[in-house]
Amino acid sequence: MTTKQRAYLKSLAMTMDPIFQIGKSSITPGLTEAISEALEARELIKISVLQNCADDPRELADLVAGRTRSQVVQVIGKKIVLYREGKDDKKKIVLP
């Protein structure tokens, strides 16, 4: 992913609300599957890490990205933005 593409995805993610929250139980297999399904449907999602989660948001982002075969767009504070390119017939986001 180029810097220009990353900047474009960041601009799209700025107006989005988080659709998942990672809490005390951290990453569960069910949460990973739900995130993967959301990436399939939306391509770009935002995740919020709650205060009661002891794990580092950067490490969580890398872990989730690895499990869902997605890319970390950015981690700011306790917010994570992930992107996974959709299949050719279902593409919603066209990268510059």
Side-chain angles (χ1 to χ4, degrees):
M1 183 183 305
T2 66
T3 307
K4 193 173 193 174
Q5 291 171 333
R6 190 175 304 278
Y8 176 69
L9 291 173
K10 284 180 184 180
S11 71
L12 291 177
M14 224 179 345
T15 57
M16 291 173 54
D17 292 321
I19 59 170
F20 290 105
Q21 296 179 330
I22 300 175
K24 189 167 48 174
S25 60
S26 195
I27 305 281
T28 61
L31 180 64
T32 304
E33 194 170 317
I35 290 172
S36 186
E37 288 173 8
L39 283 166
E40 190 76 35
R42 301 174 182 224
E43 294 183 15
L44 185 71
I45 62 168
K46 189 183 273 189
I47 302 168
S48 178
V49 180
L50 300 177
Q51 294 292 331
N52 63 357
C53 183
D55 299 327
D56 179 47
R58 181 89 229 165
E59 291 173 9
L60 286 174
D62 292 335
L63 182 68
V64 173
R67 288 184 182 176
T68 59
R69 287 181 243 90
S70 59
Q71 294 179 312
V72 179
V73 176
Q74 70 178 353
V75 178
I76 295 183
K78 295 214 172 246
K79 301 277 189 275
I80 300 168
V81 179
L82 296 176
Y83 171 75
R84 182 169 72 195
E85 191 172 355
K87 295 184 173 59
D88 291 331
D89 57 333
K90 292 184 180 177
K91 271 192 181 176
K92 289 187 170 59
I93 299 172
V94 179
L95 294 175

